[in-house]
Amino acid sequence: MRLACMALILAASTCLAQSTVIPDQPAAGTTDEELVRLLPGFENQTAEVNGVRLHYVIGGKGPLVILLPGWPQNWWEYHKVMPTLAANYRVASVDFRGMGTSSKPADGYDKKTMAHDIAELIRHIGSEKAYVVGHDIGAQVAFAVAANHPDVTRKLVLIDVAHPDAGLMSWPLLPAVGQIQDKVGDGSHAYLWWFAFHQVKDLPERLMADGRARIEQDWFFRYLTADESSIDPLSRDVYARSYWNADAIRAGNAWYQAFPQDIIDEGKYAKVNMPVMGIAAPGYEWVKLRLAAKATTFEMVKVQNSGHFIPEEQPQVLIDNLRRFLR
């Protein structure tokens, strides 16, 4: 399995070697302090909650909206939607446990523990309840918040990914002939090889430290988008910084290594009872299937002309549906 994973990542590296130049240090203009200046009305904040320090960017007035990003990104993933939402909501985009400039402890990466972090953050910010919105790994944490902390969750939004469930255990190790393509398309023939690669301890950190995670990131930003230019050069530099060193890669992989425990936890969860929206593109069928099993009331939105990274590929579609659903 290790050899197969190494072959895949090395193949990705070979394909991108000529287009991905790895600098000696992260690009200028990509720190949290520099980025927040591009979002007037927002500010960096940190909070000590549940034994970890969480960084978040917050602005606006109104009911609290918590935005949880995904891998391989950080809070900046929502920069195209945050200013507009801030006209009617208090918006906080969060680097959760292991992400960006938040703490990267040795453990606690199961989504139930991470949900506890977020529930405590909501209380720290001073809100009784929040609208909880998550993409990718952030969607898994968001669902765990709703399942374990309904007292702080007004409504739930999952973007393109569902919480880990027992079905993941049957996903194939090997792809079908011709399954790995340049683009994921509608997701019907996706081969999620990185779910296995990120289970391996120590090896990814050695392969991808010192900025080399950018090689894998660029592969994903091509494979999982409809239009890869929607993730601009600055954003790519921001995400490269976020996963620059071995400790950051270890923490990010830990979100995946916790999937077996997440699956056990999900099997014990009752249906969530607050209103839920799934908004998805390649992940549409997975999200729909899991919400049908785990949500009392939900609606689905199919996003056209988008890949996996909806907040950056189709931000206006996301904004319009959030405005409609959250009110």
Side-chain angles (χ1 to χ4, degrees), residues 15 40 98 168 175 186 251 254 279 295 302 316:
C15 292
L168 270 64
D186 64 3
I279 179 167
K302 181 70 175 284
Q316 192 59 52

Side-chain angles (χ1 to χ4, degrees), residues 150-167:
D151 56 308
V152 301
T153 311
R154 291 181 185 272
K155 294 183 179 181
L156 171 66
V157 178
L158 304 185
I159 306 174
D160 211 53
V161 164
H163 191 283
D165 64 90

Side-chain angles (χ1 to χ4, degrees), residues 42-114:
F42 284 86
E43 61 182 3
N44 288 298
Q45 294 284 349
T46 59
E48 298 286 339
V49 293
N50 198 29
V52 294
R53 180 182 57 81
L54 297 185
H55 164 259
Y56 59 102
V57 175
I58 189 165
K61 293 182 179 180
L64 180 62
V65 176
I66 293 289
L67 302 175
L68 301 175
W71 184 94
Q73 298 166 290
N74 67 350
W75 72 267
W76 180 252
E77 175 185 352
Y78 291 102
H79 71 279
K80 293 181 181 178
V81 304
M82 292 165 66
T84 303
L85 290 180
N88 301 103
Y89 298 96
R90 186 139 174 81
V91 179
S93 188
V94 183
D95 283 335
F96 46 67
R97 179 185 296 241
M99 176 177 280
T101 52
S102 290
S103 296
K104 298 173 178 61
D107 53 21
Y109 295 95
D110 62 280
K111 308 312 169 291
K112 188 174 183 178
T113 298
M114 294 172 72

Side-chain angles (χ1 to χ4, degrees), residues 9-20 215 219 222:
I9 191 65
L10 290 173
S13 300
T14 300
C15 292
L16 292 164
Q18 293 181 346
S19 60
T20 303
I215 298 170
W219 188 89
R222 183 182 67 203

Side-chain angles (χ1 to χ4, degrees), residues 225-246:
T225 57
D227 177 5
E228 63 184 294
S229 69
S230 60
I231 303 179
D232 58 53
L234 172 61
S235 297
R236 290 172 187 245
D237 287 343
V238 170
Y239 304 141
R241 172 184 283 273
S242 193
Y243 298 85
W244 192 268
N245 58 38

Side-chain angles (χ1 to χ4, degrees), residues 3-276:
L3 290 175
C5 290
M6 287 180 68
L8 283 165
I9 191 65
L10 290 173
S13 300
T14 300
C15 292
L16 292 164
Q18 293 181 346
S19 60
T20 303
V21 178
I22 306 302
D24 294 333
Q25 58 188 2
T30 56
T31 66
D32 292 334
E33 293 74 19
E34 291 167 312
L35 292 170
V36 80
R37 294 183 200 133
L38 303 177
L39 299 174
F42 284 86
E43 61 182 3
N44 288 298
Q45 294 284 349
T46 59
E48 298 286 339
V49 293
N50 198 29
V52 294
R53 180 182 57 81
L54 297 185
H55 164 259
Y56 59 102
V57 175
I58 189 165
K61 293 182 179 180
L64 180 62
V65 176
I66 293 289
L67 302 175
L68 301 175
W71 184 94
Q73 298 166 290
N74 67 350
W75 72 267
W76 180 252
E77 175 185 352
Y78 291 102
H79 71 279
K80 293 181 181 178
V81 304
M82 292 165 66
T84 303
L85 290 180
N88 301 103
Y89 298 96
R90 186 139 174 81
V91 179
S93 188
V94 183
D95 283 335
F96 46 67
R97 179 185 296 241
M99 176 177 280
T101 52
S102 290
S103 296
K104 298 173 178 61
D107 53 21
Y109 295 95
D110 62 280
K111 308 312 169 291
K112 188 174 183 178
T113 298
M114 294 172 72
H116 188 181
D117 298 345
I118 301 304
E120 289 300 311
L121 178 63
I122 291 169
R123 297 184 182 104
H124 171 87
I125 292 173
S127 179
E128 291 185 2
K129 288 193 172 188
Y131 298 107
V132 183
V133 180
H135 171 242
D136 192 78
I137 297 292
Q140 298 174 349
V141 178
F143 183 86
V145 173
N148 293 283
H149 305 277
D151 56 308
V152 301
T153 311
R154 291 181 185 272
K155 294 183 179 181
L156 171 66
V157 178
L158 304 185
I159 306 174
D160 211 53
V161 164
H163 191 283
D165 64 90
L168 270 64
M169 290 297 191
S170 64
W171 288 9
L173 176 64
L174 297 178
V177 174
Q179 184 176 8
I180 299 180
Q181 302 292 330
D182 191 54
K183 292 284 189 181
V184 71
D186 64 3
S188 61
H189 296 87
Y191 178 60
L192 307 184
W193 59 267
W194 58 94
F195 278 39
F197 176 63
H198 292 164
Q199 300 299 318
V200 183
K201 294 182 181 294
D202 300 325
L203 179 62
E205 293 94 309
R206 290 191 238 169
L207 287 172
M208 299 194 297
D210 301 319
R212 292 189 300 276
R214 174 68 180 265
I215 298 170
E216 187 187 28
Q217 289 172 331
D218 282 348
W219 188 89
F220 286 110
F221 294 146
R222 183 182 67 203
Y223 179 65
L224 289 174
T225 57
D227 177 5
E228 63 184 294
S229 69
S230 60
I231 303 179
D232 58 53
L234 172 61
S235 297
R236 290 172 187 245
D237 287 343
V238 170
Y239 304 141
R241 172 184 283 273
S242 193
Y243 298 85
W244 192 268
N245 58 38
D247 200 39
I249 296 163
R250 170 198 59 81
N253 287 353
W255 304 325
Y256 290 84
Q257 290 162 14
F259 280 2
Q261 182 60 51
D262 297 334
I263 291 168
I264 293 172
D265 291 337
E266 193 262 0
K268 299 176 182 178
Y269 293 155
K271 287 187 176 184
V272 297
N273 292 317
M274 71 286 297
V276 182

